[in-house]
Amino acid sequence: MSDVIASNHAADPCTLVIFGASGDLTARKLIPAMYEMTRMGLLPDRTRILGVARRPKTDDAWRDELEPWVRQHDPDFDESTWRELAARTHYLPADATTSEGMAAVGKRVSELDAAAGNGGNVLFFLSVASSLYEPIVEKIDEAGLVIEGKRWCSIDPDAASWQRIIIEKPFGNDDTSAKSLNRTLGRAFEEESIYRIDHYLAKEIVQSLLVFRFANILWEPVWNQQYIDHVQITAAETVGVGQRTAFYDQTGAIRDMIQSHLFQILAFVAMEPPTDYTPEHIRSEKVKVIDALVPTPLDRVADYCALGQYASDGGEDPGFAASEGVAPGSTTETFAALELQFQNWRWAGTPFYLRSGKRMAEKRTEVVVQFKPPAANLFRKLPDFVGGDRLVPDRLVFTVAPTERLSLRFETKRPGLGIHIDPLEMMADVGATFDAPSLEAYGPLMIDAMRGDQTLFKSRTEVESAWDAVMPFLDASSAAARKGIRDNYQPGSWGPDSARELLARKGRCWREDDASGG
Ligand code: BG6
């Protein structure tokens, strides 16, 4: 079994160039991820890592800085794996937004490449502030570091070398900036070489959505508006915005979580079956389904969303609005719940509710698929039947975090005399059943980029369509929904009252308010 995994994931050796080597993401995630991949034997020996940042530093000084992060990441820290990786990890002080800086990067990459015999393969990783994405990409292009052709027909999988780029979110700040970034990237790289990363696509249960839907026969026939009443996709966090107040004040929950992460889940839940499991087919189905979202009417945005800002907890946290770094009178949302509708044959009339918030009651990421009740209730006249004539509708829950599991609620007969009907929940604990090591999300995705597999990365059109869908909730048309946003929910709650009302208006409720159980 492990052979199959290893051969599936054999990456091409390359030089991995990390712009933003001094940043938090590099130390906390990227290097620990590369350590894990080394430990699992998935990173080819010839791979070299070159960290680039402005601060002067030697290779050894950078290695010494990184080591505690790797130790902290792995309770069973393996000294020899780290030594092996550290020996292949280098540092270059350079300002990558200048021509001289990028020329120095090119020179160092050539040296490392020649010494390791990597044949010119380079994977760039932009782990810098998003304002630097375009300047750096322009310099990569200007310095001639992309040798592989820029026309689709020149991308030859057997060609001598490749150059690819991984870009972190935020991928633009709105529809216009995302399009501009895409154009800049497109001038330097072929679309096949651009890897827009989203760490939610590395989550087990998110990937497992496709297997659940398309490797079983049971679900597909009922996976549509005829049988499904609505879908809830939630990513709730107990933490606040922490030190990132200024960044977050410019961002908010819709940009930070919904347009990016939750749209990935939405696409996997709602898309049509792809022809096969290839990047082209999967990515084109994702684009199709996001394109099928009904544009939210600009004069009725407030009817389709609930936005909030968490208040003070009465202790050390002053609440979002009063935090240092947040602009006075800010209406940036730390909580958002959106109602989205599709205009396609599968989903017309079945709303999808997407919700995310900081300082919520629980850390919980989940997809709730709420089925409709059966067409008729043959038990309704039994003397013991409770609940009017309604049976409790079936419900599937995919828990992405904090545990990984699937559960199905369905009606059953309570054992004993007569017919007493009660809902029962059947649970499959995926995490515990397979006992697989939990991996830092970036590792497998970076290995995919080294293999040239874009399946779990976002395409240009997908990102642009996702921005188009959320823009009404972000621009001036959302002003009415932002009125009275300040302190409108308590830390440790499930968000503002308006979130409950959003569903209640159509006789629905969020999972935690569902009195039917489960
Ligand atoms: C990041 C957001 O992309 O995802 C953070 O910027 C958020 O604000 C994080 O906390 C949540 O990720 P996860 O994997 O913990 O759900």
Side-chain angles (χ1 to χ4, degrees):
M1 187 63 185
S2 57
D3 283 351
V4 175
I5 293 167
S7 64
N8 270 347
H9 284 268
D12 293 345
C14 68
T15 308
L16 168 64
V17 180
I18 303 177
F19 295 107
S22 307
D24 196 45
L25 180 73
T26 306
R28 273 192 317 120
K29 307 269 183 181
L30 305 187
I31 298 297
M34 289 298 93
Y35 159 87
E36 268 177 6
M37 295 297 103
T38 307
R39 195 168 184 176
M40 292 175 76
L42 297 176
L43 199 69
D45 294 347
R46 277 157 39 205
T47 308
R48 295 291 174 270
I49 299 176
L50 177 64
V52 179
R54 277 190 292 207
R55 254 171 261 165
K57 213 179 286 177
T58 61
D59 286 355
D60 279 337
W62 193 43
R63 293 168 186 152
D64 290 347
E65 254 173 43
L66 296 172
E67 184 176 332
W69 291 97
V70 177
R71 279 186 186 273
Q72 185 181 320
H73 180 79
D74 182 3
D76 298 321
F77 179 74
D78 182 49
E79 187 85 38
S80 71
T81 304
W82 168 244
R83 293 277 140 249
E84 201 183 305
L85 182 69
R88 300 192 224 141
T89 300
H90 305 267
Y91 183 85
L92 179 77
D95 179 351
T97 62
T98 65
S99 304
E100 309 75 60
M102 195 56 82
V105 172
K107 184 165 169 284
R108 192 70 183 113
V109 167
S110 302
E111 289 164 7
L112 292 172
D113 179 82
N118 279 337
N121 294 340
V122 187
L123 178 60
F124 299 103
F125 196 122
L126 293 185
S127 172
V128 290
S130 56
S131 56
L132 299 178
Y133 290 174
E134 292 192 60
I136 292 180
V137 172
E138 280 162 4
K139 293 296 167 197
I140 291 177
D141 191 28
E142 182 192 296
L145 301 188
V146 184
I147 305 158
E148 188 178 51
K150 291 183 206 157
R151 297 264 63 83
W152 67 269
C153 49
S154 65
I155 301 281
D156 175 357
D158 303 321
S161 73
W162 51 255
Q163 293 80 42
R164 299 178 187 142
I165 188 162
I166 301 183
I167 303 134
E168 248 302 319
K169 71 179 258 284
F171 198 89
N173 198 42
D174 55 19
D175 51 351
T176 311
S177 54
K179 282 173 190 156
S180 161
L181 176 54
N182 274 332
R183 278 196 302 274
T184 302
L185 281 163
R187 281 193 287 271
F189 293 88
E190 189 71 30
E191 178 65 17
E192 282 80 350
S193 301
I194 302 170
Y195 290 71
R196 298 173 189 81
I197 201 165
D198 187 311
H199 79 276
Y200 266 51
L201 285 179
K203 292 189 188 278
E204 279 302 337
I205 295 295
V206 176
Q207 291 179 19
S208 153
L209 279 165
L210 292 187
V211 177
F212 182 86
R213 287 190 57 198
F214 302 127
N216 296 299
I217 200 168
L218 275 181
W219 311 109
E220 200 45 29
V222 293
W223 210 254
N224 56 51
Q225 48 78 24
Q226 197 183 342
Y227 296 98
I228 295 179
D229 177 73
H230 73 277
V231 175
Q232 299 173 15
I233 302 178
T234 295
E237 298 180 274
T238 52
V239 292
V241 301
Q243 306 300 312
R244 301 156 82 213
T245 42
F247 158 80
Y248 199 88
D249 196 24
Q250 301 292 315
T251 309
I254 297 175
R255 290 186 172 92
D256 189 41
M257 295 292 292
I258 296 186
Q259 185 277 343
S260 49
H261 304 320
L262 297 200
F263 262 62
Q264 293 307 302
I265 301 182
L266 172 79
F268 276 8
V269 173
M271 73 191 207
E272 293 301 313
T275 308
D276 55 26
Y277 194 83
T278 59
E280 300 76 29
H281 288 120
I282 289 182
R283 283 159 41 117
S284 75
E285 291 305 338
K286 283 168 77 189
V287 174
K288 260 166 62 187
V289 79
I290 293 175
D291 269 348
L293 283 166
V294 181
T296 303
L298 296 183
D299 56 343
R300 291 189 49 212
V301 169
D303 296 341
Y304 289 92
C305 72
L307 305 177
Q309 280 179 354
Y310 61 82
S312 166
D313 59 4
E316 283 181 6
D317 190 335
F320 178 72
S323 298
E324 209 184 313
V326 174
S330 162
T331 58
T332 303
E333 73 289 351
T334 60
F335 172 94
L338 313 185
E339 177 182 331
L340 299 174
Q341 299 267 359
F342 289 100
Q343 203 160 42
N344 63 12
W345 279 63
R346 186 186 284 268
W347 294 119
T350 292
F352 280 63
Y353 296 98
L354 272 55
R355 156 176 82 153
S356 183
K358 300 279 187 199
R359 301 237 53 189
M360 307 272 291
E362 285 172 31
K363 165 80 184 168
R364 190 208 283 175
T365 308
E366 69 182 13
V367 179
V368 176
V369 179
Q370 174 75 59
F371 288 88
K372 293 182 175 174
N377 176 7
L378 76 105
F379 305 103
R380 68 191 180 285
K381 291 185 184 156
L382 294 182
D384 292 323
F385 188 78
V386 286
D389 65 351
R390 261 177 79 84
L391 290 160
V392 174
D394 298 339
R395 187 180 67 192
L396 257 173
V397 179
F398 299 83
T399 310
V400 179
T403 50
E404 294 167 339
R405 66 172 185 233
L406 312 177
S407 63
L408 173 65
R409 179 182 74 182
F410 54 92
E411 293 281 48
T412 188
K413 176 187 174 299
R414 182 188 283 267
L417 289 182
I419 300 276
H420 293 262
I421 299 175
D422 267 324
L424 189 80
E425 189 138 26
M426 200 163 74
M427 193 116 75
D429 193 331
V430 179
T433 305
F434 294 102
D435 194 23
S438 91
L439 294 176
E440 172 46 58
Y442 284 89
L445 291 175
M446 288 163 81
I447 294 291
D448 279 354
M450 293 177 191
R451 295 166 53 223
D453 183 343
Q454 289 186 306
T455 312
L456 298 175
F457 294 84
K458 304 190 260 197
S459 68
R460 177 176 68 79
T461 37
E462 181 192 333
V463 168
E464 292 181 5
S465 297
W467 275 117
D468 288 344
V470 299
M471 280 321 291
F473 301 103
L474 292 171
D475 65 20
S477 35
S478 70
R482 287 173 196 273
K483 269 206 191 106
I485 191 173
R486 183 170 179 151
D487 297 346
N488 71 354
Y489 72 96
Q490 289 306 309
S493 72
W494 281 103
D497 293 342
S498 51
R500 213 164 261 155
E501 288 153 18
L502 180 70
L503 272 70
R505 282 202 283 274
K506 294 184 184 154
R508 302 187 172 107
C509 65
W510 295 102
R511 180 165 85 79
E512 65 277 0
D513 295 331
D514 185 349
S516 322

